[in-house]
Tab-separated table of all heavy atoms in Angstrom:
chain	number	residue	atom	x	y	z
T	168	LEU	N	120.388	77.122	88.007
T	168	LEU	CA	121.320	78.143	88.530
T	168	LEU	C	121.818	77.750	89.913
T	168	LEU	O	123.036	77.772	90.176
T	168	LEU	CB	120.619	79.495	88.557
T	168	LEU	CG	121.407	80.647	89.174
T	168	LEU	CD1	122.624	80.972	88.334
T	168	LEU	CD2	120.540	81.913	89.316
T	169	VAL	N	120.878	77.385	90.767
T	169	VAL	CA	121.267	76.962	92.118
T	169	VAL	C	122.163	75.760	92.077
T	169	VAL	O	123.239	75.720	92.706
T	169	VAL	CB	120.014	76.692	92.975
T	169	VAL	CG1	120.425	76.078	94.319
T	169	VAL	CG2	119.245	77.971	93.184
T	170	ALA	N	121.772	74.761	91.304
T	170	ALA	CA	122.549	73.519	91.245
T	170	ALA	C	123.969	73.789	90.722
T	170	ALA	O	124.953	73.276	91.257
T	170	ALA	CB	121.845	72.532	90.325
T	171	ARG	N	124.060	74.639	89.704
T	171	ARG	CA	125.372	74.892	89.121
T	171	ARG	C	126.280	75.629	90.100
T	171	ARG	O	127.437	75.273	90.249
T	171	ARG	CB	125.212	75.748	87.832
T	171	ARG	CG	126.522	75.904	87.075
T	171	ARG	CD	126.285	76.243	85.637
T	171	ARG	NE	125.530	77.463	85.450
T	171	ARG	CZ	124.359	77.554	84.824
T	171	ARG	NH1	123.793	76.477	84.357
T	171	ARG	NH2	123.749	78.696	84.699
T	172	LEU	N	125.733	76.600	90.790
T	172	LEU	CA	126.558	77.354	91.708
T	172	LEU	C	126.963	76.548	92.914
T	172	LEU	O	128.081	76.688	93.432
T	172	LEU	CB	125.817	78.640	92.141
T	172	LEU	CG	125.735	79.696	91.033
T	172	LEU	CD1	124.740	80.771	91.388
T	172	LEU	CD2	127.103	80.296	90.792
T	173	VAL	N	126.057	75.703	93.399
T	173	VAL	CA	126.404	74.904	94.577
T	173	VAL	C	127.456	73.848	94.266
T	173	VAL	O	128.327	73.583	95.052
T	173	VAL	CB	125.121	74.271	95.172
T	173	VAL	CG1	125.462	73.211	96.202
T	173	VAL	CG2	124.234	75.333	95.771
T	174	GLN	N	127.331	73.262	93.069
T	174	GLN	CA	128.203	72.122	92.764
T	174	GLN	C	129.495	72.501	92.067
T	174	GLN	O	130.397	71.682	91.924
T	174	GLN	CB	127.437	71.117	91.884
T	174	GLN	CG	126.262	70.506	92.620
T	174	GLN	CD	125.459	69.588	91.732
T	174	GLN	OE1	125.947	69.133	90.725
T	174	GLN	NE2	124.230	69.304	92.124
T	175	SER	N	129.603	73.727	91.611
T	175	SER	CA	130.790	74.073	90.843
T	175	SER	C	132.002	74.241	91.757
T	175	SER	O	131.876	74.624	92.898
T	175	SER	CB	130.549	75.358	90.059
T	175	SER	OG	130.498	76.431	90.979
T	176	PRO	N	133.176	73.929	91.236
T	176	PRO	CA	134.405	74.010	92.044
T	176	PRO	C	134.662	75.416	92.563
T	176	PRO	O	135.224	75.576	93.639
T	176	PRO	CB	135.510	73.587	91.058
T	176	PRO	CG	134.793	72.830	90.001
T	176	PRO	CD	133.442	73.402	89.898
T	177	ASP	N	134.295	76.431	91.818
T	177	ASP	CA	134.602	77.780	92.264
T	177	ASP	C	133.400	78.452	92.938
T	177	ASP	O	133.306	79.656	93.035
T	177	ASP	CB	135.072	78.651	91.108
T	177	ASP	CG	133.981	78.887	90.085
T	177	ASP	OD1	132.990	78.120	90.101
T	177	ASP	OD2	134.114	79.815	89.278
T	178	SER	N	132.484	77.581	93.404
T	178	SER	CA	131.276	78.156	93.975
T	178	SER	C	131.559	79.019	95.197
T	178	SER	O	130.911	80.025	95.418
T	178	SER	CB	130.277	77.065	94.328
T	178	SER	OG	130.862	76.171	95.261
T	179	ALA	N	132.551	78.580	95.976
T	179	ALA	CA	132.872	79.357	97.176
T	179	ALA	C	133.289	80.773	96.827
T	179	ALA	O	132.857	81.752	97.468
T	179	ALA	CB	133.973	78.678	97.969
T	180	ALA	N	134.104	80.868	95.793
T	180	ALA	CA	134.563	82.217	95.366
T	180	ALA	C	133.384	83.028	94.869
T	180	ALA	O	133.249	84.214	95.162
T	180	ALA	CB	135.633	82.079	94.277
T	181	ARG	N	132.501	82.362	94.145
T	181	ARG	CA	131.364	83.127	93.624
T	181	ARG	C	130.424	83.529	94.755
T	181	ARG	O	129.866	84.605	94.752
T	181	ARG	CB	130.633	82.300	92.568
T	181	ARG	CG	131.413	82.174	91.278
T	181	ARG	CD	130.577	81.574	90.164
T	181	ARG	NE	129.568	82.498	89.651
T	181	ARG	CZ	129.834	83.586	88.922
T	181	ARG	NH1	131.088	83.932	88.706
T	181	ARG	NH2	128.874	84.313	88.443
T	182	LEU	N	130.297	82.602	95.704
T	182	LEU	CA	129.457	82.950	96.855
T	182	LEU	C	130.039	84.138	97.607
T	182	LEU	O	129.312	85.006	98.077
T	182	LEU	CB	129.312	81.745	97.808
T	182	LEU	CG	128.415	80.644	97.312
T	182	LEU	CD1	128.520	79.431	98.221
T	182	LEU	CD2	126.979	81.142	97.254
T	183	ALA	N	131.354	84.162	97.693
T	183	ALA	CA	131.986	85.298	98.326
T	183	ALA	C	131.633	86.597	97.615
T	183	ALA	O	131.414	87.645	98.211
T	183	ALA	CB	133.501	85.119	98.374
T	184	ARG	N	131.591	86.489	96.297
T	184	ARG	CA	131.219	87.709	95.548
T	184	ARG	C	129.770	88.080	95.815
T	184	ARG	O	129.421	89.234	95.861
T	184	ARG	CB	131.475	87.481	94.070
T	184	ARG	CG	132.964	87.417	93.788
T	184	ARG	CD	133.235	87.006	92.354
T	184	ARG	NE	134.622	86.572	92.251
T	184	ARG	CZ	135.101	85.868	91.269
T	184	ARG	NH1	134.325	85.491	90.297
T	184	ARG	NH2	136.360	85.521	91.235
T	185	TYR	N	128.936	87.066	95.980
T	185	TYR	CA	127.562	87.411	96.341
T	185	TYR	C	127.545	88.154	97.667
T	185	TYR	O	126.680	88.971	97.892
T	185	TYR	CB	126.717	86.128	96.470
T	185	TYR	CG	126.403	85.480	95.141
T	185	TYR	CD1	126.488	84.111	94.980
T	185	TYR	CD2	126.034	86.261	94.045
T	185	TYR	CE1	126.215	83.519	93.770
T	185	TYR	CE2	125.770	85.662	92.816
T	185	TYR	CZ	125.867	84.297	92.696
T	185	TYR	OH	125.607	83.712	91.496
Side-chain angles (χ1 to χ4, degrees):
Chain T
L168 175 65
V169 171
R171 188 159 58 240
L172 288 167
V173 168
Q174 295 177 20
S175 70
D177 66 343
S178 59
R181 289 190 72 70
L182 286 172
R184 290 172 197 163
Y185 288 137

